[in-house]
Amino acid sequence: MNTDTYKILKLISGENIICELSEENGKYEISRPLLMSIHSRINNTGMTESLMLSRWVQPFTEERHFEIDPKHVIIMLSASPGLIIYYEGILNRLDNSGGEPSMNASIDDFEDEEIYDELLDELEIPSKYIH
């Protein structure tokens, strides 16, 4: 999938979703939307925040594509390369589990080395030297 189509939408309802987006007939068509929520917790080093992705409206419908009126979107941003990897990983987990609701996951569920290796593989680096 073209990573330029991965967008973060802040809706007038206050929800933040990540999805694949295309524009058609003055409407946004989104597919595979996941609700983004931040969970804070205190550990022995202080406060940490985790990003949780969960199904947005799919628990209530079998549809995978949705139309949203642009008037219901406050802001639209392109997803970062790291967030795209996380998003695709969660989608793969949901697809492989049959979409069970218990498959909500946070970025903490992934090994740091796994994320860093995938990010480095995705980035185009002209040279390995830093001078």
Side-chain angles (χ1 to χ4, degrees):
M1 178 59 65
N2 181 358
T3 59
D4 291 338
T5 62
Y6 291 123
K7 300 293 183 186
I8 299 168
L9 303 179
K10 177 144 188 95
L11 305 176
I12 60 173
S13 64
E15 296 172 309
N16 296 311
I17 60 171
I18 181 170
C19 59
E20 297 172 30
L21 182 137
S22 62
E23 197 167 343
E24 196 170 301
N25 298 326
K27 301 270 187 182
Y28 294 147
E29 184 172 309
I30 63 170
S31 59
R32 305 181 78 177
L34 295 180
L35 180 66
M36 301 172 68
S37 53
I38 303 292
H39 294 275
S40 300
R41 60 181 158 194
I42 298 175
N43 61 21
N44 57 356
T45 61
M47 181 74 85
T48 62
E49 294 182 330
S50 296
L51 173 63
M52 303 287 286
L53 296 180
S54 58
R55 294 180 299 151
W56 182 48
V57 294
Q58 288 88 344
F60 311 110
T61 181
E62 296 294 320
E63 297 292 322
R64 290 189 140 218
H65 303 280
F66 308 93
E67 244 183 40
I68 294 182
D69 192 313
K71 292 185 290 189
H72 295 168
V73 176
I74 295 173
I75 190 168
M76 177 176 28
L77 306 162
S78 295
S80 70
L83 181 56
I84 291 170
I85 291 169
Y86 177 47
Y87 172 68
E88 289 175 339
I90 298 300
L91 289 176
N92 286 335
R93 284 184 178 191
L94 287 169
D95 288 345
N96 292 334
S97 72
E100 290 299 314
S102 62
M103 289 306 295
N104 293 351
S106 76
I107 199 156
D108 295 334
D109 293 342
F110 293 93
E111 295 294 321
D112 287 342
E113 287 298 318
E114 177 184 339
I115 292 171
Y116 298 140
D117 289 345
E118 286 185 33
L119 283 172
L120 289 173
D121 289 343
E122 293 289 322
L123 295 176
E124 294 179 20
I125 302 171
S127 172
K128 293 186 180 193
Y129 299 103
I130 308 177
H131 320 218

